[in-house]
Amino acid sequence: MVAASLNACVQNLPRKWDQQRLVALLQEQGLQYVVARKKAGRPYAFVSFACAEHRAAAEAALRTLTLAGRPMAVRDATVGRDKGAAAQLVEPTEATRAVAEMDIRNAVTPLWQVPYGEQLRRKHAVVAAALARITKLSAKAHRAALRPGTWPAWLHTARGAPGNAAAPLVGIVRSPQLQGYRNKCEFTVGVGTDDKPAVGFLLGAYKDGLTAVVPPTGCRNVSAVAAECAALLQAFVRQRSRLPVWDKRCNSGFWRLLLVREGRRRMHLPDSVSGQPLAAAAAGPVTDLDWQRWLITVPEAPGAALEVSEAQAAPPPPDELMLIVQVDPTAPGADALAQGELAALGEFLRQSAPRPLTTLLLQHHSGLSNAAAPDALLLPFPAPPADGGERQCICDALGDLTFRISPSAFFQVNTGAAAVLYALAGAWAAPDPGAVLLDICCGTGTIGLTLARRAARVVGVDIVESAVADARTALVAVVDPPRAGLHPRVLHSLLQCAALRRLVYVSCNPDTLARDAAALCAPQGRGGPLPFAPVRAAAVDLFPHTAHVEAVLLLER
């Protein structure tokens, strides 16, 4: 953590400047800093530095600048006892907050210090607010199309329900695993707060002036295996590499990113109370799981205590491990050094990485962001093992099914919580034995395949119009769209398919869930198919210690 003495208050700045303009100034001057904060409308900003040398260099450079006829001033960002002296710092706590936010856990898992019961309460409230928004949007749509006396019964009930919830919220499904639950981690390779190469996470958003990378020490969602892999790559780029790491301040460098994916032949599924693994449940069909074992009922009384066990059995080590190292082949010096250094890194990882290292790949990417295109070039590392034992994919178990995970495939990062989520979705979808189940936005097909034994046929779709138009039997659908929600054409197709009687909407974004659900429940006019009605909802915690929450909503015609 940066010491308070390394925080500076930069004064006499133009009031109209925002944080991005301040960051641009610092970068124009070639200054090295960790955090820069500036609010529009204020003539000062706060800047934190990694060491005294960086602070002194910045102070010397900034004092030579004149903006709008006023020379810039740099002072310690501390609160003096004299109120007159302290008046220069209208919000002295800004500097303190900037230092506190240097803890990487606050950036990656902002709820890491919040008791798990309180985390669940907050997430439950987010989904409750989304259900109230469905009621509000639906009332607006019905008010424009129909007289109040002809509104559907569910809408009348919702407007009188506690919180105007469009459907009863049965509770929140907790994550079976709380520590190290991610089976996939992406670590940035960049410049640390000590100006040395680091592998971990960015302290925050680049637009906020945060460019430093910090190791994932203490991050509760990162597994011990993933953290060890990050530490190995950091040791290599610090001690053995002559090529630079990616520096966001100048958008240049060779080493950029490390992707770690873990696969297990048997799902790790701890009990909700004891935290001990449920061996039989982990090996059986997902549809046989009693999802209510992990359901937490949230007290209605405001402020009532919600005690939730945080007991946790350590997960078993992975059976398969995939590592992908992203580099920029256009970086200065890469032509002469890259091949040799990559061969050395491959040998180092094969000898030192946790076992078994199933997949080791190299990704080429030259964009400004580390997010490479799906078709970015993937290559085997130089000097592959003679036995050819490395594969291009790993496998992971979800109940009694095993899924093949390719480098760019989407697969839920919390396997145990995903299994409980799919068990809930299957129980609510409840397809008849002769029904067709549509798995919309199917990704790798995890939902459809885990529920396949309950239906006569499963169709996984990404473009749904033709699939829905051709269906002639009773349909049940499960949709699990990305954060942007369903495309309007998809919503239209679902509404127009009269054979579709039941729809389970799984959402990672309660805001777009509210929008889409209101559209599915909107009046269709004379001669049109009946709209859907919300029946019940649940919140699901797939990402403990973060603010993200999944929502599941059952709708029926």
Side-chain angles (χ1 to χ4, degrees):
M1 184 177 291
V2 178
S5 61
L6 299 180
N7 293 305
C9 178
V10 181
Q11 299 173 332
N12 295 337
L13 294 172
R15 289 182 177 271
K16 64 181 180 180
W17 277 23
D18 59 10
Q19 189 154 288
Q20 289 182 317
R21 186 63 187 89
L22 170 67
V23 168
L25 172 69
L26 298 175
Q27 293 177 347
E28 289 166 4
Q29 298 296 316
L31 303 179
Q32 300 186 53
Y33 62 95
V34 177
V35 180
R37 295 190 178 278
K38 167 73 168 73
K39 291 185 178 180
R42 296 172 183 171
Y44 57 88
F46 295 98
V47 184
S48 298
F49 301 90
C51 61
E53 290 77 9
H54 293 173
R55 157 82 194 254
E59 185 170 345
L62 294 176
R63 287 185 184 277
T64 65
L65 301 180
T66 300
L67 299 174
R70 301 179 65 191
M72 293 181 64
V74 181
R75 298 173 183 261
D76 286 339
T78 56
V79 183
R81 297 188 180 186
D82 177 16
K83 291 185 177 180
Q88 304 274 359
L89 302 177
V90 181
E91 291 188 12
T93 55
E94 285 268 326
T96 305
R97 284 200 296 269
V99 174
E101 291 170 3
M102 294 299 297
D103 191 324
I104 192 61
R105 293 171 293 186
N106 293 334
V108 178
T109 48
L111 303 182
W112 67 277
Q113 296 185 91
V114 178
Y116 191 50
E118 178 59 24
Q119 293 185 36
L120 295 179
R121 178 191 291 281
R122 295 182 189 181
K123 297 182 181 187
H124 183 272
V126 170
V127 177
L131 294 174
R133 181 164 170 76
I134 294 173
T135 301
K136 180 178 179 180
L137 294 175
S138 297
K140 181 178 180 181
H142 282 82
R143 190 177 295 113
L146 302 170
R147 297 190 308 275
T150 61
W151 286 8
W154 76 264
L155 187 53
H156 284 292
T157 301
R159 298 188 77 195
N164 298 130
L169 181 56
V170 300
I172 181 166
V173 176
R174 62 159 293 166
S175 174
Q177 185 177 342
L178 298 182
Q179 308 288 22
Y181 59 82
R182 291 191 66 97
N183 58 40
K184 174 187 175 183
C185 287
E186 290 180 307
F187 298 112
T188 296
V189 185
V191 180
T193 55
D194 56 0
D195 216 30
K196 295 180 180 179
V199 179
F201 298 119
L202 284 170
L203 282 171
Y206 176 68
K207 65 181 179 63
D208 294 332
L210 297 164
T211 62
V213 174
V214 177
T217 306
C219 292
R220 298 181 68 181
N221 57 349
V222 176
S223 72
V225 168
E228 181 180 351
C229 293
L232 287 172
L233 181 58
Q234 177 171 293
F236 182 89
V237 297
R238 280 191 176 191
Q239 301 166 15
R240 299 178 57 178
S241 177
R242 291 179 290 168
L243 286 168
V245 297
W246 184 260
D247 190 339
K248 292 185 73 69
R249 295 169 296 188
C250 58
N251 293 322
S252 178
F254 181 75
W255 306 105
R256 301 195 55 153
L257 180 138
L258 172 66
L259 171 67
V260 182
R261 298 190 88 149
E262 304 172 30
R264 290 172 174 83
R265 300 190 188 99
R266 189 171 193 150
M267 182 173 63
H268 178 63
L269 190 63
D271 180 66
S272 60
V273 177
S274 68
Q276 296 303 308
L278 296 172
V286 165
T287 49
D288 288 351
L289 285 178
D290 178 11
W291 63 272
Q292 295 184 77
R293 177 189 289 268
W294 293 273
L295 179 66
I296 305 296
T297 302
V298 178
E300 294 184 3
L306 181 57
E307 300 293 336
V308 178
S309 172
E310 298 192 28
Q312 188 81 87
D319 298 303
E320 301 185 10
L321 182 64
M322 174 190 290
L323 301 181
I324 301 177
V325 179
Q326 184 189 98
V327 300
D328 183 358
T330 67
D335 290 344
L337 299 173
Q339 196 71 8
E341 292 212 359
L342 289 171
L345 175 60
E347 180 181 4
F348 175 68
L349 291 176
R350 291 181 182 114
Q351 291 177 353
S352 307
R355 293 292 178 268
L357 180 56
T358 310
T359 305
L360 180 59
L361 295 171
L362 177 69
Q363 183 181 63
H364 284 182
H365 176 56
S366 300
L368 295 180
S369 167
N370 285 344
D375 59 350
L377 185 61
L378 280 172
L379 301 168
F381 257 72
D387 61 6
E390 292 178 0
R391 306 196 312 263
Q392 296 291 304
C393 65
I394 62 173
C395 294
D396 204 5
L398 197 60
D400 62 342
L401 299 180
T402 300
F403 290 85
R404 179 180 182 272
I405 313 297
S406 61
S408 59
F410 172 80
F411 192 77
Q412 291 285 6
V413 300
N414 186 340
T415 308
V420 181
L421 169 64
Y422 297 160
L424 163 61
W428 284 8
D432 296 328
V436 174
L437 174 66
L438 297 179
D439 181 5
I440 299 171
C441 305
C442 59
T444 53
T446 49
I447 293 181
L449 289 171
T450 54
L451 306 185
R453 52 173 51 89
R454 287 196 171 186
R457 184 182 179 208
V458 174
V459 180
V461 291
D462 288 320
I463 302 174
V464 302
E465 289 189 38
S466 60
V468 173
D470 291 343
R472 291 185 172 86
T473 59
L475 290 177
V476 177
V478 179
V479 300
D480 186 7
R483 292 190 62 80
L486 292 172
H487 191 279
R489 291 183 180 178
V490 177
L491 291 168
H492 177 76
S493 297
L494 294 173
L495 273 169
Q496 295 304 309
C497 179
L500 182 60
R501 310 303 301 168
R502 189 178 300 113
L503 175 66
V504 176
Y505 195 127
V506 180
S507 173
C508 61
N509 185 347
D511 289 337
T512 53
L513 167 67
R515 180 200 67 198
D516 291 351
L520 292 167
C521 297
Q524 299 302 297
R526 293 183 179 179
L530 289 173
F532 288 90
V535 177
R536 55 182 173 270
V540 182
D541 185 23
L542 256 66
F543 307 99
H545 320 305
T546 76
H548 298 294
V549 61
E550 299 270 324
V552 182
L553 177 64
L554 171 63
L555 302 110
E556 293 180 349
R557 291 281 182 185

